Amino acid sequence: MRLKARFTAGAATAALLPALLLGAVGCSSKDAPAAGKAPDPKGSAPTGPSAAPPGGAPSGSAAPRAGASKLERSALEQGDLPGYQVSARGKNPNAPDGQPQADRKACQPLADIMGDKPDPAARDTVNRGIGSQKQVGLAVSASVSSYAESDAKALIARLKGAVAACGTGFTATVEKQSGSYRDVRATEYETAGDESVSWTTTAAAQEVSAQVHVVVVRQGATVVRLMALNVASAQQKAQVPHEVADKQLEKVRRAG
């Protein structure tokens, strides 16, 4: 099946959604609306980066390779999740690079989590884009990052504090592009791992907004970051599927 994802919006909305999540939309199972639903950093996007060529595997799809590092072996691969397409292109190449900067110091951990890596203490990060073929429009960004265990524990503590402190929201800027995150709310989310934190937020810029769900889990010195968005209806609440979180954590444990 040839998979497509198309959406439009102004370039100023690039910072509004997690850069990594923008890469996951190429894996979505159906065509997304052409306008006003989910922002794209450079206007109209061509067929998604993970579109499958006829008779072949999706271009950029994640697959095992010889000599992979422990962290790469921890990452999800095509075939791990029936009903989902997994792409190694976890980030849209047109999305801005780097870590967003929050306008409130207390909210910087939440801004960081939307960037290229969960926070500056991450030693290495491997990203994946995941598109559901069962739930129309559901796109998930998944990443695994290696840390010193003390830094991984500190990250979870900072995130919990930031979620509690930033309920009214904050603004984040990356590469001179800004977006706001409103209504930051802690959510219950049962998953394995040593400790975790989960929240929802509404990302918005230039009259375009989207509901985003974020789950961050620590397993020893490894941090798993999962972010979900419904690209078919950006206003629809999305949740990281438990089967995705469970499989990702299973792979972390197996690799470690």
Side-chain angles (χ1 to χ4, degrees):
M1 180 190 304
R2 189 172 181 84
L3 306 178
K4 300 179 181 179
R6 301 175 183 270
F7 19 52
T8 61
T13 63
L16 116 83
L17 288 178
L20 296 171
L21 191 53
L22 287 167
V25 299
C27 304
S28 61
S29 60
K30 301 288 183 181
D31 284 353
K37 294 297 183 182
D40 179 80
K42 296 294 182 182
S44 180
T47 298
S50 300
S59 174
S61 64
R65 66 181 183 82
S69 68
K70 173 183 171 181
L71 200 63
E72 289 171 325
R73 294 196 307 274
S74 299
L76 291 168
E77 300 165 350
Q78 182 64 22
D80 282 342
L81 289 163
Y84 294 87
Q85 181 177 311
V86 181
S87 170
R89 297 181 181 181
K91 178 179 177 179
N92 187 319
N94 293 323
D97 294 319
Q99 299 303 109
Q101 297 300 304
D103 63 340
R104 297 172 57 193
K105 184 177 180 180
C107 305
Q108 186 59 44
L110 302 182
D112 279 333
I113 213 75
M114 303 298 185
D116 291 345
K117 53 187 180 179
D119 78 344
R123 293 174 173 176
D124 194 15
T125 297
V126 176
N127 301 305
R128 294 289 186 261
I130 303 166
S132 174
Q133 296 169 320
K134 299 182 288 185
Q135 182 178 344
V136 175
L138 179 63
V140 180
S141 169
S143 71
V144 287
S145 300
S146 58
Y147 284 79
E149 188 164 350
S150 60
D151 288 336
K153 291 179 178 179
L155 170 61
I156 299 297
R158 285 198 303 274
L159 287 171
K160 289 180 177 179
V163 169
C166 299
T168 57
F170 61 98
T171 297
T173 302
V174 58
E175 289 190 351
K176 298 182 180 180
Q177 299 179 50
S178 297
S180 66
Y181 294 89
R182 305 190 307 263
D183 302 322
V184 177
R185 298 287 182 265
T187 59
E188 293 291 332
Y189 189 88
E190 293 186 7
T191 188
D194 295 326
E195 55 181 337
S196 65
V197 57
S198 169
W199 68 96
T200 58
T201 185
T202 300
Q206 291 192 350
E207 299 183 356
V208 179
S209 64
Q211 303 288 323
V212 182
H213 178 221
V214 187
V215 178
V216 183
V217 187
R218 181 182 69 83
Q219 178 71 46
T222 300
V223 169
V224 170
R225 171 184 55 182
L226 301 160
M227 298 183 284
L229 164 75
N230 190 310
V231 300
S233 177
Q235 294 302 317
Q236 181 175 325
K237 291 183 179 179
Q239 183 181 63
V240 174
H242 281 87
E243 59 192 329
V244 174
D246 292 346
K247 174 57 73 171
Q248 179 60 90
L249 288 163
E250 176 190 322
K251 294 204 70 173
V252 169
R253 291 190 294 271
R254 190 182 302 166

